[in-house]
């Protein structure tokens, strides 16, 4: 049982958390409390997980099913050491929508499977050789640029839905903004879900919601399953997503490690493999690609409960909910105006997350390599540059991601060869003089001429 990560010790008396302590991944509270926390995790992931299939036109119930199954698979593969929920990844929205236009839903699912396979393979390499090579391949300037351009590339899609019902969209957006600043705790974290609910009620009053499909659906039944088709043309759309998933997953594992005080470097590869396997499974059945969820990490930070038992409860509860076609069709009734308001916030948040990566890692934009990498990649992604080679079509996300990698490593290699770049890659303001002197000495030894 311990090999599956389903053997938990009772934390204290099971009814409370001792001061200064947390409930570790291999511990649990009493089952009634654990079940309550597990259901809270479902609420936390709910709004974001359902937004992806609603926006992309995929079946919500099917996505929920594979979200729950993927979470349980993740817990088994990581042997219960990494508490995390696998929800729908926003990084898949743009490639799914783009591939559907040319290859339909089945073609998009083929791309999801492809991304999952690549992610699992990267996870296997990380588990074998460690994650340091990822940090060298994708330093913060590159990772931030890729995350930012994926969110900003979706801006036209948000505007298109917003224009279909601007009043409803505006009310939805304003509600999200107000809830995020007026409330603390779980309600503040669920601002997008609250905004969608308020916008939905407004849409109902304005006659923008149709319940025909929901009325015809059964209360209990199987979700809608769809099978993938594989086209070489989707490669350029989905492979860049993997870079984002890797950065996201590794970052979440590090966050959990920091909060629990445990060293989880040894299972970071397993976490990537598990996420990849869950994405492959979802693609073969008609669900959306998955990723570890920051929303649920927020719940753990608030509750101090990192027990994987709560995630088993969340995964099982999500699976049970997915077997109600009527529930799935109810979710699918969310109208375009509500989606437009929520997407305006959501896509912008994805873009700003890229900027947050730069800020947190103190990326120095006085360095021409960093500046050029971000500038070119963002414009390519936002303007959605395209390049077609036979059946292969590379759009803004793929080209922007490739540009970030090629420009950064290419310029860095040339600068090292010529000894021309004097500025450090990270900002050094506030560093002690001794540290600055050491960095200057290291820069000189590397052939660089500038000083800090």
């Amino acid at each position: 049982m311990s090999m599956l990560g389903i053997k938990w010790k009772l934390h204290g008396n099971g009814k409370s958390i001792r001061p200064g302590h947390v409930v570790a991944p291999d511990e649990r509270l009493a089952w009634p409390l654990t079940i309550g926390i597990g259901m809270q995790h479902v609420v936390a992931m709910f709004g974001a997980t359902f937004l992806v299939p609603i926006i992309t036109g995929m079946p919500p119930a099917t996505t929920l099913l594979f979200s729950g199954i993927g979470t349980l698979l993740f817990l088994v593969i990581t042997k219960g050491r990494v508490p995390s929920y696998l929800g729908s990844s926003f990084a898949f929205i743009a490639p799914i929508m783009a591939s559907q236009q040319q290859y339909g839903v089945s073609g998009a699912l083929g791309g999801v499977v492809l991304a999952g396979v690549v992610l699992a393979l990267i996870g296997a390499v990380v588990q074998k050789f460690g994650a340091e090579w990822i940090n060298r391949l994708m330093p913060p300037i590159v990772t931030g640029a890729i995350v930012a351009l994926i969110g900003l590339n979706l801006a036209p899609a948000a505007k298109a839905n917003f224009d279909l019902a601007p009043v409803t969209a505006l009310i939805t957006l304003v509600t999200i903004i107000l809830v995020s600043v007026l409330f603390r705790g779980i309600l503040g974290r669920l601002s997008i879900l609250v905004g969608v609910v308020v916008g939905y009620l407004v849409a109902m009053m304005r006659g923008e919601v149709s319940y025909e499909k929901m009325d015809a659906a059964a209360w209990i039944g199987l979700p809608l399953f769809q099978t993938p088709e594989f086209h070489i043309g989707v490669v350029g759309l989905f492979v860049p997503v993997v870079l984002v998933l890797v950065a996201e997953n590794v970052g979440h594992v590090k966050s959990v490690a920091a909060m629990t005080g445990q060293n989880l470097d040894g299972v970071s590869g397993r976490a990537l493999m598990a996420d990849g396997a869950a994405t492959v499974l979802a693609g073969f059945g008609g669900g959306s690609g998955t990723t570890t969820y920051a929303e649920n990490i927020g719940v753990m930070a608030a509750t101090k409960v990192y027990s994987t038992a709560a995630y088993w409860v969340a995964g099982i509860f999500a699976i049970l909910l997915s077997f109600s076609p009527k529930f799935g069709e109810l979710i699918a009734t969310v109208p375009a105006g509500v989606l437009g308001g929520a997407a305006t916030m959501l896509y912008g948040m994805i873009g700003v997350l890229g900027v947050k990566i730069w800020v947190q890692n103190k990326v120095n934009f006085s360095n021409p390599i960093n500046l050029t990498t971000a500038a070119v990649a963002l414009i390519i992604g936002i303007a959605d540059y395209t390049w077609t080679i036979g059946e292969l079509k590379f759009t803004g996300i793929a080209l922007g991601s490739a540009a970030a990698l090629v420009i950064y490593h290419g310029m860095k290699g040339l600068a090292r060869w010529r000894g021309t770049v004097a500025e450090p890659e990270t900002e050094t303001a506030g560093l002690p003089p001794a540290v600055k002197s050491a960095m200057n000495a290291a820069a000189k030894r590397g052939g660089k001429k500038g000083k800090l």
Side-chain angles (χ1 to χ4, degrees):
M1 299 290 279
S2 60
M3 290 297 292
L4 296 177
I6 53 176
K7 186 177 181 180
W8 303 281
K9 298 174 292 186
L10 191 66
H11 178 85
N13 60 9
K15 298 178 181 179
S16 61
I17 303 174
R18 290 169 290 179
H21 289 74
V22 300
V23 180
D26 62 347
E27 296 179 325
R28 66 169 177 84
L29 295 174
W31 279 115
L33 291 174
T34 298
I35 291 172
I37 293 171
M39 295 181 70
Q40 181 172 282
H41 278 300
V42 173
V43 173
M45 68 84 190
F46 195 84
T49 289
F50 271 115
L51 273 179
V52 176
I54 291 172
I55 291 172
T56 58
M58 309 288 275
T62 310
T63 294
L64 183 61
L65 171 65
F66 285 106
S67 171
I69 293 175
T71 297
L72 302 187
L73 181 63
F74 182 93
L75 295 172
V76 170
I77 292 178
T78 59
K79 297 182 179 180
R81 293 189 59 192
V82 184
S84 190
Y85 191 91
L86 294 190
S88 302
S89 171
F90 299 133
F92 280 97
I93 294 176
I96 285 177
M97 293 175 68
S99 56
Q100 281 180 343
Q101 295 176 5
Q102 190 171 0
Y103 304 106
V105 173
S106 294
L109 291 175
V112 172
V113 172
L114 171 66
V117 170
V118 175
L119 180 59
L121 291 175
I122 291 176
V125 174
V126 170
Q127 191 64 26
K128 179 70 175 178
F129 300 104
E132 183 57 34
W133 65 275
I134 293 178
N135 297 327
R136 290 196 295 268
L137 176 66
M138 296 190 301
I141 180 62
V142 172
T143 305
I146 293 174
V147 173
L149 68 86
I150 284 181
L152 299 177
N153 176 268
L154 292 166
K159 182 179 183 298
N161 278 325
F162 201 103
D163 289 344
L164 292 175
V167 173
T168 301
L170 181 60
I171 292 174
T172 302
L173 178 58
V174 170
T175 301
I176 293 172
I177 294 171
L178 292 177
V179 170
S180 66
V181 74
L182 292 178
F183 299 97
R184 296 179 179 179
I186 188 65
L187 189 60
R189 294 182 184 277
L190 297 178
S191 59
I192 293 180
L193 177 60
V194 175
V196 168
V197 171
V198 172
Y200 188 89
L201 294 175
V202 172
M204 286 177 59
M205 292 186 290
R206 293 175 59 84
E208 298 169 357
V209 183
S210 173
Y211 294 103
E212 292 182 9
K213 291 184 178 180
M214 190 197 78
D215 292 338
W219 280 102
I220 299 176
L222 290 173
L224 175 63
F225 295 107
Q226 301 174 89
T227 55
E229 293 178 358
F230 299 96
H231 302 275
I232 193 171
V234 304
V235 173
L237 293 170
F238 284 89
V239 170
V241 171
V242 178
L243 302 177
V244 178
L245 297 179
V246 169
E248 199 170 43
N249 196 302
V250 171
H252 287 173
V253 171
K254 289 181 179 179
S255 297
V256 173
M259 290 188 291
T260 59
Q262 299 183 356
N263 186 347
L264 298 178
D265 290 346
V267 291
S268 58
R270 283 180 171 271
L272 290 169
M273 287 190 288
D275 197 353
T279 296
V280 169
L281 189 62
F284 271 112
S288 300
T290 61
T291 188
T292 51
Y293 253 30
E295 288 87 343
N296 297 91
I297 291 177
V299 171
M300 291 190 292
T303 61
K304 306 301 180 185
V305 177
Y306 301 91
S307 171
T308 54
Y311 283 101
W312 275 92
V313 172
I316 292 170
F317 189 57
I319 292 171
L320 293 176
L321 276 178
S322 71
F323 285 96
S324 175
K326 191 175 288 291
F327 175 75
E329 290 296 340
L330 172 63
I331 299 300
T333 61
V334 177
V338 176
L339 296 180
T344 299
M345 182 70 173
L346 188 63
Y347 298 163
M349 286 174 61
I350 299 172
V352 173
L353 280 176
V355 178
K356 182 181 179 182
I357 292 173
W358 294 335
V359 173
Q360 287 180 331
N361 291 277
K362 298 183 179 179
V363 173
N364 180 18
F365 284 100
S366 294
N367 183 309
I369 297 175
N370 290 341
L371 182 63
T372 305
T373 298
V376 176
L378 285 179
I379 290 300
I380 291 175
I382 295 170
D384 202 23
Y385 285 35
T386 58
W387 181 28
T388 303
I389 310 173
E391 292 186 22
L392 282 172
K393 184 178 182 181
F394 298 95
T395 60
I397 291 178
L399 293 178
S401 301
L405 287 165
V406 172
I407 291 172
Y408 174 80
H409 290 289
M411 290 185 69
K412 189 173 181 179
L414 290 172
R416 187 182 297 114
W417 172 58
R418 292 285 295 168
T420 53
V421 175
E423 295 290 339
E425 290 191 31
T426 57
E427 294 179 351
T428 57
L431 288 178
V435 176
K436 290 185 178 182
S437 297
M439 293 180 68
N440 280 326
K444 288 179 180 179
R445 286 194 299 271
K448 297 177 183 178
K449 302 175 181 177
K451 293 184 179 181
L452 301 178

